[in-house]
Amino acid sequence: MIVRGNATATAHNIVVSETLFRLGIAADLICQALFIFVALALYDVLKGVNRRHALVMVTLILVSIPIALLNELNGIAALILVRGADFLSLFDKPQRDALAMLFLNLRGHGFDVAGIFWGRWLFPLGRLVCQSSFLPRILGVVLMVNCFAYPLNSFTSLVLPQYEAIVSRWMSPLQFGEVVFMLWLVIMGAKPKPLADPALNSATAASNPTGLGLKTEITRSLAKIIGVTMLQQRSWSAGVLANQSSRLSSR
């Protein structure tokens, strides 16, 4: 839909596929709304491992969400421009198309800003996985390696844009760590141990006499939310990287 370097063709594609473009914006907004529950679900599963690291992880996730949500305003602005509302009659069509392309480019750079935090939260998550006794340690190592991919892509795009295609190509394999972790949670699930607080354990046992069975089922359900949202996030970032590569090639 977005033709790099051609504002007129891009505007035409958006007008022709306006519903698809709107659905894309809606999907991104839903993705970020669900990401809040990813943060809460992961904190619930891993807080017994190290509460401080779990809080750092949640904080970094929650910082990225408003950035990504506000970034969608750039897409909405581009849509308004290409539709040519009455109050925009002061601008002729080539000017509106150029402004729409400007907002789409800003949207791409907004992903670069959010990407800094998309990577950083993976490091405390990886440490928590390594320290846990109910998740494979190799998943934690892969996640900590994965955390460098997003910031490197973001800073390269902002500081050294002439190298962003090369860096994106080398960093892309590292981002599969999230996919592996997602698949493990969806297929295998997680069985966290109860907290060491006796009072809390007694209250939990009283409210849930079946023990960890219900806890495990809840964790599996939350894991599915995590999986779907992380997959959307992964495909979203992959699309951004592809657009960046295409943009650089057009230069």
Side-chain angles (χ1 to χ4, degrees):
M1 188 174 296
I2 299 176
V3 182
R4 296 295 174 183
N6 192 330
T8 302
T10 298
H12 173 74
N13 291 339
I14 293 176
V15 171
V16 171
S17 305
E18 181 179 337
T19 301
L20 181 62
F21 190 82
R22 289 181 179 274
L23 287 174
I25 294 174
D28 289 341
L29 293 174
I30 293 171
C31 171
Q32 292 306 312
L34 289 177
F35 208 29
I36 298 173
F37 296 97
V38 171
L40 297 177
L42 288 174
Y43 178 79
D44 183 65
V45 171
L46 297 168
K47 63 184 178 182
V49 179
N50 188 309
R51 191 179 295 272
R52 178 176 296 178
H53 292 165
L55 285 173
V56 172
M57 174 194 69
V58 170
T59 301
L60 292 173
I61 293 176
L62 295 180
V63 167
S64 70
I65 292 173
I67 297 173
L69 287 173
L70 289 174
N71 189 44
E72 289 306 311
L73 290 175
N74 290 313
I76 296 172
L79 179 62
I80 294 173
L81 284 165
V82 299
R83 293 185 74 244
D86 293 339
F87 62 87
L88 293 172
S89 58
L90 181 64
F91 303 96
D92 56 28
K93 188 177 185 306
Q95 289 176 324
R96 294 198 305 270
D97 293 347
L99 287 172
M101 181 63 81
L102 170 63
F103 279 108
L104 291 174
N105 287 336
L106 287 176
R107 184 172 181 265
H109 288 300
F111 288 137
D112 292 332
V113 177
I116 296 171
F117 295 96
W118 288 344
R120 292 181 65 186
W121 77 274
L122 295 174
F123 191 83
L125 173 62
R127 289 196 62 180
L128 289 166
V129 172
C130 287
Q131 294 170 2
S132 71
S133 58
F134 52 87
L135 290 168
R137 183 167 296 180
I138 185 62
L139 289 179
V141 175
V142 170
L143 286 170
M144 285 191 287
V145 173
N146 195 161
C147 83
F148 295 103
Y150 287 106
L152 282 174
N153 282 326
S154 295
F155 283 116
T156 302
S157 176
L158 294 171
V159 180
L160 299 169
Q162 65 272 26
Y163 298 111
E164 65 177 335
I166 298 174
V167 173
S168 297
R169 189 180 305 115
W170 282 97
M171 292 295 107
S172 292
L174 299 182
Q175 293 179 311
F176 284 98
E178 287 180 278
V179 178
V180 175
F181 181 63
M182 172 200 73
L183 292 175
W184 180 273
L185 290 177
V186 172
I187 298 172
M188 304 300 296
K191 300 178 181 179
K193 294 181 178 179
L195 296 175
D197 187 352
L200 181 59
N201 288 339
S202 299
T204 303
S207 62
N208 180 22
T210 59
L212 288 178
L214 180 59
K215 177 75 171 180
T216 302
E217 290 303 318
I218 293 175
T219 303
R220 279 183 177 273
S221 298
L222 293 174
K224 290 180 180 179
I225 296 176
I226 296 171
V228 172
T229 308
M230 291 182 73
L231 182 59
Q232 172 70 9
Q233 194 87 355
R234 176 72 181 92
S235 61
W236 187 13
S237 62
V240 173
L241 294 179
N243 288 338
Q244 291 175 342
S245 300
S246 176
R247 182 176 62 208
L248 187 61
S249 298
S250 66
R251 292 174 184 169

